[in-house]
Amino acid sequence: MALASLPCRAGRFVDDSLKVDGHMRHFAMYLPDDLRAQAPLVFILHGYGAGIWRENPMLAAADRHGFAVCLPQGLKDPQGKPSWNVGYPFQQGWRVDDVKALCRIARYVQKRYHLSRPNTFLTGMSNGGEMCYLMAYSKQSTFKAVAPIAGLTMAWIYQSMKAQRPIPLMEIHGTEDRVSEWTGDMENKGGWGAYLPVPVAIGYWVAKNRCTHEVTEQVESLLGADGHPVVKHRYSSPTTGCDVWLYEVIGGVHSWHTADIDTGEEVWRFFSRYLE
């Protein structure tokens, strides 16, 4: 385990690893200064072919609000790309169980770094966002809420899996995303496999969580007229307490959307509603 200081951050990184199903799973922990015992924990998953992003937008929020961050590294898939196994066509035959691995890593870091078991959350972009959806559908109790960014619900997940329980879910997605199309790709024109339109994917969770109230608000981009306005759709459930938030970035492309909103702060605002 190696320690390294991060310039301009009120904390430090710790590189760590854990063996799961014969694979060494590497990850970095970001620990803000003066982090209290049993602090919340947020996992952040990278996109397809990427790696541990030590300048991601959740770190500033971690410093402000006092939560730890885990940045796992995906294993290389059959194409040789670091990724999360969400059943893309070119991942066929790949036996890696990332749901199991991420839950195991969470239990390990909760214990090793004295972090909260009930207050553990999951976010990620693109392929990492797809992994958030797969986790939400899976039978697990490790992650209390998920927040995919530019993520998709693969058609096979929707058609073959039934979510075991309501779970709070937030999605941030650009309407002009040409990698993860807002309108879906049920014909697999993009090669990632068939996936649902974003509103349909969100509608599943609105129904599953028994949300009965909707509040819609449009806010200006942080860049003003030069940016993309954001329509915030917030669906609430007095029955389950598991809300669904959809941030529709009008004209936004495939990104974390940090030019238009404080993504880290917005995601944490959602997660913090579920702290025990």
Side-chain angles (χ1 to χ4, degrees):
M1 182 167 60
L3 300 181
S5 296
L6 179 67
C8 303
R9 293 288 182 203
R12 72 189 194 281
F13 278 109
V14 179
D15 294 321
D16 206 341
S17 60
L18 178 70
K19 199 170 202 178
V20 181
D21 290 340
H23 298 284
M24 191 60 70
R25 308 303 299 248
H26 297 277
F27 53 92
M29 294 294 299
Y30 180 69
L31 306 171
D33 290 344
D34 302 318
L35 189 69
R36 62 179 175 82
Q38 299 307 308
L41 170 63
V42 175
F43 273 59
I44 305 173
L45 306 183
H46 60 73
Y48 187 76
I52 295 172
W53 184 21
R54 296 174 188 253
E55 288 291 339
N56 75 78
M58 291 299 298
L59 299 189
D63 288 337
R64 286 191 295 266
H65 300 288
F67 59 87
V69 171
C70 181
L71 299 154
Q73 172 70 62
L75 297 176
K76 290 184 178 180
D77 71 4
Q79 300 294 313
K81 301 290 188 180
S83 63
W84 310 103
N85 189 4
V86 297
Y88 296 145
F90 46 83
Q91 292 177 331
Q92 187 174 1
W94 195 31
R95 302 291 183 183
V96 169
D97 185 344
D98 279 318
V99 170
K100 177 181 178 181
L102 291 170
C103 290
R104 285 280 302 276
I105 292 170
R107 295 300 189 210
Y108 169 81
V109 299
Q110 287 161 355
K111 183 175 181 180
R112 185 178 184 91
Y113 299 97
H114 309 291
L115 301 170
S116 174
R117 288 187 64 164
N119 296 317
T120 296
F121 306 95
L122 180 68
T123 187
M125 182 198 166
S126 194
N127 178 221
E130 274 95 88
M131 192 66 218
C132 289
Y133 279 112
L134 179 57
M135 190 68 73
Y137 274 84
S138 299
K139 188 177 181 180
Q140 59 86 29
S141 58
T142 301
F143 296 99
K144 194 169 203 176
V146 299
I149 312 296
L152 306 167
T153 296
M154 307 305 296
W156 75 264
I157 296 176
Y158 181 75
Q159 293 165 352
S160 66
M161 299 180 71
K162 182 179 180 180
Q164 299 296 307
R165 61 181 176 89
I167 185 171
L169 184 142
M170 176 185 190
E171 166 81 31
I172 304 175
H173 209 111
T175 60
E176 295 300 320
D177 189 331
R178 291 295 170 256
V179 178
S180 303
E181 295 277 358
W182 174 269
T183 53
D185 182 10
M186 291 301 293
E187 297 178 359
N188 187 26
K189 294 178 181 178
W192 298 102
Y195 59 84
L196 274 60
V198 173
V200 175
I202 292 300
Y204 175 88
W205 289 103
V206 171
K208 179 68 179 179
N209 292 358
R210 298 184 181 180
C211 297
T212 54
H213 297 77
E214 178 184 3
V215 175
T216 301
E217 172 192 13
Q218 181 164 319
V219 299
E220 187 180 60
S221 165
L222 294 175
L223 296 176
D226 293 330
H228 304 100
V230 180
V231 180
K232 300 180 178 181
H233 306 271
R234 294 191 175 108
Y235 306 90
S236 60
S237 172
T239 303
T240 66
C242 295
D243 294 352
V244 177
W245 288 8
L246 171 61
Y247 281 21
E248 179 183 1
V249 185
I250 306 299
V253 295
H254 194 66
S255 72
W256 274 86
H257 303 292
T258 51
D260 295 305
I261 57 173
D262 186 341
T263 304
E265 190 68 21
E266 294 290 343
V267 169
W268 178 248
R269 181 176 294 129
F270 181 72
F271 285 162
S272 65
R273 294 161 55 84
Y274 301 98
L275 293 173
E276 293 186 12

